[in-house]
Amino acid sequence: MTDFTTRPEIRGTFGVVATTHWIASAVGFGVLERGGNAFDAAVAAGFALQIVEPHLNGPAGDLPVIFHSADSGKTQVICAQGVAPAGATIEHYKAQGLTLIPGSGLLATVVPGAFDGWLLMLRDHGTMSLREVMQPAIDYARDGHPMLPRVANTIADLAGYFAEQWPTSAEVWTPGGAAPEAHALFCNPALAATYERLVSEGEAAGADRVAQIDAARRSWSDGFVAQAIEDYLKDAEVHDVSEQKHAGVLARSDMAGWSASYEDTLSYDYHGWTVHKTAPWSQGPVLLQALAILKHFDLASMDPMGADFVHTVIEAMKLAFADREAYYGDPAHSQIPIAHLLSDAYNAERAKLIGASASVEQRPGRVPGQEHLADAYIRRAGQDFGVTEAAPQEPTMAHLTEKRGDTVHLDIIDRWGNAVAATPSGGWLQSNPVVPGLGFPLNSRAQMFWLQEGLPTSLAPGRRPRTTLTPSIAEKDGARLVFGTPGGDQQDQWQLVWFLRFVHHGLDLQQGMDAPLFHSLHFQGSFFPRKANPGEMMIEPSVGEEVIAELRARGHKVTVAEPWSVGRLTAALRHADGRLQAAATPRLMQAYAVGR
């Protein structure tokens, strides 16, 4: 590999911020410059991302955070993944004639989680007031921000659908009946007013910042925001990807009875690095499983851009993701055999399944006492649900249609050693109509549930959907690395490839992000219409024709992506001596790292 990179490796000692949009990176770093810590900066950047990348996340979406507190020395998770409403039963959904939960619309909505998650982190770990961290987002929503071409194109593609089916969305995203132009200033005055009122109602609680933050949380979950959502849902019937109109089941009581929470991380030791992920209510442990399988191979001796490396990693991904589909789910509602799935003995046997040729079989492991879940997945992966894709849904990358939604990511480390990795998603402009008066839509995360009984991912009231959102922290000898990416089912695949090259081949942060990426499409997807594509993979052409030909010779069904179209990684690293680094992908162009 050459030392040349598409962007400079950001280095310093004061602080670093890397996000999927340069405005959010600048907002976050501005908070650090004003004396805020990484938690303050993350909240400010997170709210800014809701404004500048509304096709990728929104206030009513979901949020997992992995963070390290320099004060406590602990690395923990904030789970701001909302749960299924009390009315979200399999019986109710099947009574609508559905075999899958639609990928958009009101039946796909769970309790909104992102807002409460950001404020929980600000209250307990930040130092700034709610107004200080939310003011940049208020300003951009009220006064305008330069519209990304991709957002403009997404809205233009959906303008007719909005006008016909989702008129409240047309009012916000096509003001005056016209889709916004690329790079023109775009305003969302309704959302600016919602944010401003949340801050003002918080400030009305008095001068104490904690009291203000908690008051704003109540205004969201059981105040004017919840009331506006309740008023909208009592009469709304929304067209969705099933090509039918459905009413929602989310109630105000669902919002009032839920709040974001703290959890311990799951971790795995790999070549001296301790890698931290979320629990199996997300796909996070799948990266740990892949590492547990791959530690049985001499990856360091392989060319990191060569066919041996790609083949071995792809095959490990297939095995780990098969277990994800069979066994993962909300551990508060099901017994998830995660200790078994991460055990050395189990993964030593899984590693033996990787041979010289590509597998086209779904091969979940056989966990004692839960073999029926593996069998159920194999049947499900081969099932034709009789549905086709239509209208807006999710998720996306540059090689896919712009009508799909996706995700954002941020990584921040401050001069004190606090570190945050967060992957907000959901509640994007394609997911649902805008709630009248609020300026934002609801989410569509319930589509990750199944309408079959007896699974860890069966739809059930109060259960978290098994999401794809999956930030990462890795630690070694006093160094700490935060990283992540948007990309649905690809998130842990791209992170895995990047991390392996970092650990085994010495690719620095930006070098690894510039290197060609790849992922498997073999296993069942998490999003409507839940397709599996046995043996299929995607890779960027910069890996070279010889490698692509060799992969095909080994039995992989290779789709060559458009150049620079796979992955949206960002990362930040704190060395043991306090030196900082950060990097951001050049793909899609808007991601940037800043620091000094």
Side-chain angles (χ1 to χ4, degrees):
M1 289 287 295
T2 176
D3 289 336
F4 173 81
T5 56
T6 59
R7 295 170 178 185
E9 187 90 32
I10 301 299
R11 298 177 187 271
T13 56
F14 175 79
V16 286
V17 177
T19 83
T20 50
H21 195 293
W22 70 86
I23 285 178
S25 297
V27 166
F29 195 74
V31 167
L32 296 183
E33 291 277 21
R34 294 195 299 276
N37 63 19
F39 304 105
D40 300 312
V43 176
F47 279 109
L49 285 168
Q50 294 173 2
I51 304 301
V52 298
E53 293 194 308
H55 62 317
L56 306 179
N57 78 133
D62 17 51
L63 169 70
V65 180
I66 302 182
F67 69 91
H68 177 81
S69 168
D71 287 340
S72 70
K74 293 181 179 180
T75 300
Q76 293 180 285
V77 168
I78 289 177
C79 175
Q81 174 55 62
V83 300
T89 65
I90 290 176
E91 294 76 17
H92 176 79
Y93 282 58
K94 283 190 170 180
Q96 315 297 311
L98 297 170
T99 56
L100 286 180
I101 297 175
S104 63
L106 299 178
L107 284 178
T109 296
V110 299
V111 174
F115 182 84
D116 196 69
W118 286 126
L119 265 62
L120 178 68
M121 183 165 67
L122 179 68
R123 184 195 72 181
D124 295 344
H125 300 282
T127 64
M128 288 185 161
S129 70
L130 184 61
R131 180 167 296 281
E132 286 175 304
V133 298
M134 290 195 69
Q135 193 64 51
I138 293 171
D139 293 343
Y140 279 116
R142 182 192 62 229
D143 303 330
H145 61 92
M147 175 67 78
L148 288 170
R150 181 160 294 274
V151 187
N153 292 341
T154 299
I155 294 172
D157 286 346
L158 291 167
Y161 183 83
F162 286 166
E164 180 180 355
Q165 300 290 353
W166 295 1
T168 57
S169 291
E171 182 179 346
V172 169
W173 306 118
T174 58
E181 295 183 7
H183 306 303
L185 287 180
F186 182 81
C187 304
N188 186 341
L191 182 53
T194 297
Y195 282 167
E196 177 61 41
R197 184 173 174 184
L198 284 163
V199 173
S200 296
E201 292 195 2
E203 290 173 334
D208 180 71
R209 63 177 294 277
V210 170
Q212 291 181 1
I213 292 167
D214 281 338
R217 295 172 72 195
R218 289 191 297 271
S219 293
W220 174 276
S221 65
D222 199 23
F224 80 93
V225 172
Q227 184 64 54
I229 292 172
E230 179 183 59
D231 291 345
Y232 167 60
L233 291 179
K234 68 183 178 184
D235 298 318
E237 290 191 350
V238 168
H239 185 272
D240 56 43
V241 299
S242 71
E243 296 290 6
Q244 302 294 321
K245 289 186 176 182
H246 294 107
V249 294
L250 179 68
R252 181 170 179 170
S253 56
D254 295 313
M255 294 183 62
W258 178 89
S259 61
S261 59
Y262 292 99
E263 296 181 356
D264 292 332
T265 66
L266 282 176
S267 63
Y268 186 79
D269 292 336
Y270 182 80
H271 287 268
W273 287 90
T274 299
V275 184
H276 296 271
K277 299 293 287 185
T278 51
W281 53 264
S282 85
Q283 72 176 1
V286 80
L287 187 144
L288 306 183
Q289 276 199 256
L291 293 175
I293 294 168
L294 288 167
K295 80 173 189 178
H296 297 281
F297 296 87
D298 185 9
L299 297 181
S301 69
M302 300 178 188
D303 177 353
M305 311 303 157
D308 284 345
F309 178 84
V310 176
H311 169 78
T312 304
V313 174
I314 283 283
E315 293 303 298
M317 288 173 177
K318 291 177 183 178
L319 295 170
F321 276 84
D323 284 348
R324 180 197 78 169
E325 285 302 294
Y327 299 113
Y328 287 21
D330 187 346
H333 284 250
S334 300
Q335 287 193 332
I336 312 300
I338 198 65
H340 184 87
L341 295 175
L342 294 178
S343 68
D344 288 340
Y346 176 78
N347 287 291
E349 293 302 311
R350 299 292 275 161
K352 293 175 183 178
L353 296 175
I354 298 178
S357 299
S359 170
V360 294
E361 299 177 6
Q362 303 294 340
R363 298 186 291 179
R366 312 291 293 179
V367 175
Q370 295 183 281
E371 294 90 347
H372 64 287
L373 296 178
D375 295 335
Y377 169 56
I378 293 169
R379 290 193 300 270
R380 197 167 65 241
Q383 187 175 351
D384 181 3
F385 292 95
V387 297
T388 57
E389 299 181 56
Q393 43 125 356
E394 59 231 281
T396 190
M397 264 302 295
H399 48 276
L400 300 175
T401 170
E402 298 196 50
K403 290 185 180 181
R404 297 172 177 241
D406 199 1
T407 301
V408 297
H409 184 79
L410 62 84
D411 299 298
I412 301 176
I413 305 177
D414 63 28
R415 63 187 184 272
W416 300 287
N418 298 301
V420 179
T423 311
S425 187
W428 42 65
L429 63 85
Q430 307 92 314
S431 61
N432 261 297
V434 168
V435 179
L438 295 182
F440 64 80
L442 297 172
N443 63 74
S444 53
R445 191 62 63 182
Q447 66 181 290
M448 294 183 166
F449 288 115
W450 291 102
L451 297 180
Q452 287 82 42
E453 299 281 1
L455 305 174
T457 47
S458 298
L459 178 67
R463 179 174 286 182
R464 287 172 287 187
R466 198 277 302 144
T467 180
T468 56
L469 306 175
T470 174
S472 302
I473 287 185
E475 301 165 328
K476 180 183 180 182
D477 299 333
R480 184 161 293 107
L481 177 67
V482 289
F483 58 102
T485 179
D489 292 309
Q490 288 76 50
Q491 288 183 27
D492 275 313
Q493 300 191 67
W494 298 332
Q495 291 182 64
L496 176 67
V497 174
W498 177 85
F499 183 68
L500 290 171
R501 288 169 173 166
F502 173 80
V503 171
H504 292 295
H505 305 103
L507 271 68
D508 222 336
L509 307 190
Q510 193 66 51
Q511 279 183 309
M513 288 178 196
D514 290 358
L517 286 169
F518 56 87
H519 61 265
S520 174
L521 301 166
H522 170 82
F523 49 87
Q524 193 154 39
S526 300
F527 297 88
F528 183 96
R530 311 302 297 269
K531 290 181 179 179
N533 300 285
E536 293 192 18
M537 62 167 290
M538 179 173 284
I539 196 166
E540 291 183 305
S542 54
V543 75
E545 293 181 3
E546 183 178 337
V547 171
I548 293 168
E550 173 62 22
L551 291 169
R552 286 173 171 153
R554 296 187 186 201
H556 296 277
K557 301 174 184 177
V558 181
T559 296
V560 180
E562 292 295 316
W564 298 103
S565 69
V566 174
R568 291 185 67 205
L569 287 152
T570 67
L573 171 65
R574 186 180 192 269
H575 296 268
D577 63 2
R579 288 178 297 121
L580 301 174
Q581 288 178 251
T585 180
R587 296 164 180 86
L588 299 192
M589 296 305 292
Q590 67 256 34
Y592 261 87
V594 296
R596 68 170 177 86

